Amino acid sequence: GEKTMINQTETLINIKRVSSSINGNPNFLLYFTNNIVIKTKNDNGINYAISDRLLNKELDLTYKANKKSYSLIDFKLSTSKKETI
């Protein structure tokens, strides 16, 4: 199947803890504006950077589009400042 990598900036609005990986590492469902829901990948170290302090922050996301879901590859806090006129 064709897997597409997507890079975009979205605002995180909710975090839901889901089942840990078989190795006991945390997994989450991340809810963003525009009705985007992205699941973390098992045993991805970036999962440990996810916490409530990210809520309502803009994140620069890298994620993979699968047939029915999105999986998080990487993220960082967005540094792009919105220009106000």
Side-chain angles (χ1 to χ4, degrees), residues 9-67:
T9 303
E10 296 292 345
T11 302
L12 182 63
I13 52 176
N14 194 22
I15 300 170
K16 183 180 173 193
R17 182 82 189 249
V18 292
S19 299
S20 295
S21 73
I22 200 160
N23 297 316
N25 292 313
N27 277 311
F28 303 92
L29 282 175
L30 305 176
Y31 295 81
F32 295 89
T33 45
N34 300 329
N35 292 319
I36 296 169
V37 181
I38 302 177
K39 187 180 186 303
T40 55
K41 290 166 61 89
N42 282 334
D43 304 322
N44 187 349
I46 197 72
N47 300 1
Y48 280 93
I50 294 167
S51 74
D52 287 349
R53 70 189 170 77
L54 299 173
L55 287 172
N56 304 310
K57 300 261 197 321
E58 284 201 332
L59 304 182
D60 295 331
L61 304 167
T62 303
Y63 62 95
K64 198 162 62 178
N66 308 310
K67 272 202 175 70

Side-chain angles (χ1 to χ4, degrees), residues 64-77:
K64 198 162 62 178
N66 308 310
K67 272 202 175 70
K68 292 182 177 158
S69 65
Y70 297 126
S71 56
L72 183 72
I73 305 299
D74 200 3
F75 77 87
K76 61 182 174 59
L77 274 172

